Amino acid sequence: MCGIVGIVGRADVNHDLYDALTALQHRGQDAAGIFTCDLKMHQRKANGLVRDVFQPHHMQALRGRVGIGHIRYPTAGSESPEEAQPFYVNSPYGIALAHNGNLINAGELGEEVFRDELRHVNTESDSEILLNLFASELARARRLTLDEDTIFGAVANVHRRCLGGYAAVALIVGYGVVAFRDPCAIRPLCYGVRETPQGMEYMVTSESVALDALGFELVRDLAPGEAMIITLDGKLNARQCCEQPRHAPCIFEYVYLARPDSIIDDVSVYKARLRMGEALAEKILREWPDYDIDVVIPIPETSRTACLPLAYDLGVKYREGFIKNRYVQRTFIMPGQTQRTHSVRRKLNAIGLEFEGKNVLLVDDSIVRGTTSRQIIRQARDAGARRVYFASAAPPVRYQNVYGIDMPAMTELVAFNRSEEDVARAIDADRLFFQSLDGLVDAVQRGNPRLREFDTSCFTGEYVTGGVSARYLEQVAEHRADSARSARTAAARDAWELPT
């Protein structure tokens, strides 16, 4: 879950890239980077939020009317500053690339590009492997100058060799921006246009909110397997580069990852979440018609949209019972369990009068580890709630996501190998309601009936790309365990610590 953006403009794009990354900040708070080009290449990337990574003197140096940017989510194995994107290779042509997603066969591909194509990968990031793979495919054409057929052919070969979910933007020096989406369209990617007196400008990005923030008009999402080229002189060409595309976007984007004001694959995230709340209310009414709920309270902020129609359909008061400190990061995407635990305590403060002596239904977008849910329920009880019920707008998360969402090892998921009653006891809820998978799919699909399939692997354990073996899942689990992550983070900090 990273954020990417590419812009071909008529003037310097540095500030537009900065604003676009700021609009995408919810997709990752670990690192940020920008790469621009005029006659020379200019880049700045580091760990931290956008506002911290880019100071005025950095922005002044990022010259050029074409550029790409990246927001990094703290993926296991990519905690050090050297993992920040975009990545760059000099040969052929000079290419920078930013990537959102995960390659399942990254280990195999890394060996291939080193052994067969004599390319060195200097980090643990599969994004650098993807860059070298794309560069190698371009180099096979052995052309001094690029044309569209060569680029589209290179992307087609990337699709044939890569397995996983990925959306990427690449800047080819002296040529323009190339964007492509994986054959299942698991990770989101859209583009828009903005008319200026100097001519048309183009942006490719993970979410439409970045287009909105800069006055670009959303044109459409890239199709599964599609590639798009935007040249420096403002010409746009797109082509299907996959022989058997299969449209199965990640449904967790609609549950949690995306901003509610985004449009993804022609579905309003906001309206999808409203329908999630309606479906959850129907389930509660069906299973517990004589409920004794006094008040419905959302857990800020993602669940608010679903919580409103749920309260309305139940005929119960909706109240804001928690005040959020907006200067604390999203706990789901924090890199370590200790950080997440401490952050929950700092992030939310209960309003006692909304809880005192009441039976409270708390609503959240999902339950992953259960750590946050358990602490929030404890806060509600400490604030005087008589009984605390809990509802999740998503089904139980029981399996790892391998397509770019760095969910923990399955054994760290609170719903893994547990019934809903067991999960309720684990988080100390008096009663627990999960969304049904059918209800979730329907809530999204009603926004775009042409979407016939979704990646729901974190709920079902069924992976749309295939090729996900039990051994691979074991390796991912070992890599993502909090103990392993903490050790890597400490080692990376020690390696980058400056001498005093």
Side-chain angles (χ1 to χ4, degrees):
M1 181 188 125
C2 297
I4 59 176
V5 59
I7 300 177
V8 176
R10 298 292 175 172
D12 284 348
V13 297
N14 49 356
H15 291 288
D16 281 347
L17 288 167
Y18 178 98
D19 290 341
L21 293 181
T22 301
L24 297 173
Q25 187 75 85
H26 61 286
R27 297 191 65 87
Q29 303 166 2
D30 199 44
I34 289 176
F35 188 105
T36 63
C37 184
D38 48 15
L39 296 177
K40 296 181 179 180
M41 290 75 75
H42 312 283
Q43 68 171 323
R44 163 66 179 170
K45 58 181 182 177
N47 280 1
L49 301 175
V50 174
R51 68 186 182 210
D52 300 322
V53 170
F54 302 104
Q55 300 303 314
H57 63 282
H58 299 132
M59 298 303 297
Q60 292 171 7
L62 292 169
R63 299 182 302 274
R65 61 183 187 87
V66 58
I68 61 175
H70 185 268
I71 292 291
R72 188 179 75 192
Y73 159 83
T75 305
S78 299
E79 294 92 351
S80 71
E82 65 182 354
E83 307 284 342
Q85 299 184 42
F87 288 109
Y88 174 76
V89 291
N90 187 56
S91 175
Y93 312 113
I95 308 168
L97 181 141
H99 160 232
N100 172 32
N102 182 59
L103 303 182
I104 296 170
N105 60 339
E108 175 187 333
L109 292 173
E111 292 179 4
E112 288 179 7
V113 297
F114 176 75
R115 181 187 64 242
D116 302 333
E117 292 146 43
L118 304 180
R119 289 184 168 271
H120 294 270
V121 177
N122 299 309
T123 70
E124 297 296 319
S125 173
D126 61 339
S127 303
E128 190 182 10
I129 294 173
L130 182 63
L131 167 61
N132 277 276
L133 189 64
F134 179 56
S136 178
E137 293 297 341
L138 285 177
R140 288 181 192 275
R142 300 182 181 276
R143 298 180 65 91
L144 293 178
T145 59
L146 273 175
D147 58 28
E148 292 175 349
D149 289 339
T150 300
I151 294 173
F152 287 133
V155 174
N157 287 333
V158 167
H159 287 330
R160 278 192 284 270
R161 297 177 67 180
C162 290
L163 186 64
Y166 51 92
V169 289
L171 189 161
I172 302 178
V173 175
Y175 191 86
V177 167
V178 179
F180 52 92
R181 197 176 182 190
D182 69 79
C184 291
I186 297 172
R187 299 267 66 87
L189 193 63
C190 63
Y191 86 96
V193 297
R194 181 175 67 183
E195 191 170 355
T196 72
Q198 294 77 32
M200 197 67 73
E201 297 181 319
Y202 298 87
M203 180 195 294
V204 183
T205 186
S206 297
E207 290 186 40
S208 61
V209 290
L211 301 172
D212 298 338
L214 279 79
F216 282 77
E217 179 184 353
L218 171 65
V219 177
R220 63 175 177 86
D221 297 85
L222 271 70
E226 184 180 23
M228 179 174 291
I229 300 171
I230 307 167
T231 61
L232 292 178
D233 57 359
K235 294 179 181 178
L236 184 149
N237 194 10
R239 185 180 300 178
Q240 177 55 254
C241 295
C242 174
E243 295 176 356
Q244 294 181 316
R246 176 184 178 187
H247 205 173
C250 174
I251 205 164
F252 208 71
E253 290 279 352
Y254 301 94
V255 171
Y256 175 82
L257 302 182
R259 266 179 46 167
D261 44 342
S262 281
I263 307 291
I264 298 179
D265 288 314
D266 294 328
V267 177
S268 163
V269 176
Y270 174 75
K271 289 187 176 181
R273 290 178 184 169
L274 288 176
R275 292 188 288 267
M276 290 176 205
E278 293 168 352
L280 193 53
E282 289 178 8
K283 182 177 182 181
I284 294 173
L285 288 169
R286 185 171 59 252
E287 296 181 1
W288 193 21
D290 57 343
Y291 60 85
D292 61 351
I293 303 167
D294 297 317
V295 61
V296 176
I297 293 176
I299 297 172
E301 299 199 10
T302 320
S303 65
R304 282 196 176 109
T305 310
C307 190
L308 275 166
L310 185 153
Y312 179 84
D313 288 352
L314 292 181
V316 177
K317 293 179 181 178
Y318 169 98
R319 290 291 185 268
E320 293 286 343
F322 294 102
I323 299 301
K324 179 181 178 182
N325 182 343
R326 298 179 182 276
Y327 303 98
V328 177
Q329 299 175 355
R330 301 176 85 178
T331 53
F332 174 79
I333 62 176
M334 283 187 162
Q337 179 66 16
T338 301
Q339 283 183 262
R340 287 188 296 270
T341 301
H342 291 165
S343 179
V344 172
R345 297 168 184 164
R346 297 194 308 267
K347 185 173 70 170
L348 297 177
N349 188 50
I351 301 175
L353 61 87
E354 295 296 351
F355 293 92
E356 185 68 38
K358 298 177 182 177
N359 295 336
V360 179
L361 174 64
L362 301 180
V363 180
D364 207 351
D365 52 78
S366 59
I367 303 174
V368 182
R369 290 175 177 85
T371 306
T372 300
S373 305
R374 185 166 50 250
Q375 291 189 43
I376 290 173
I377 289 172
R378 173 50 51 195
Q379 282 186 280
R381 295 192 190 282
D382 291 344
R386 186 167 59 242
R387 297 180 69 81
V388 181
Y389 311 120
F390 205 95
S392 167
V397 176
R398 291 195 166 104
Y399 303 93
Q400 295 158 281
N401 182 287
V402 299
Y403 298 127
I405 306 174
D406 202 36
M407 287 182 177
M410 283 188 288
T411 53
E412 294 176 357
L413 297 169
V414 70
F416 178 67
N417 275 347
R418 283 192 173 109
S419 66
E420 295 189 12
E421 293 75 17
D422 291 337
V423 177
R425 284 190 289 272
I427 65 174
D428 193 29
D430 292 303
R431 191 155 185 168
L432 173 63
F433 295 91
F434 279 107
Q435 181 81 267
S436 70
L437 182 58
D438 288 343
L440 175 60
V441 169
D442 179 70
V444 179
Q445 198 173 54
R446 273 194 280 161
N448 179 4
R450 296 186 304 277
L451 291 175
R452 307 306 303 167
E453 186 179 12
F454 296 92
D455 169 55
T456 59
S457 54
C458 59
F459 308 122
T460 64
E462 298 173 2
Y463 298 94
V464 295
T465 63
V468 181
S469 66
R471 178 57 188 151
Y472 177 79
L473 291 175
E474 289 174 4
Q475 292 172 339
V476 171
E478 292 170 1
H479 206 54
R480 290 182 179 177
D482 275 330
S483 57
R485 191 194 304 265
S486 298
R488 286 193 305 273
T489 302
R493 287 174 179 168
D494 291 342
W496 281 80
E497 186 176 357
L498 296 176
T500 57

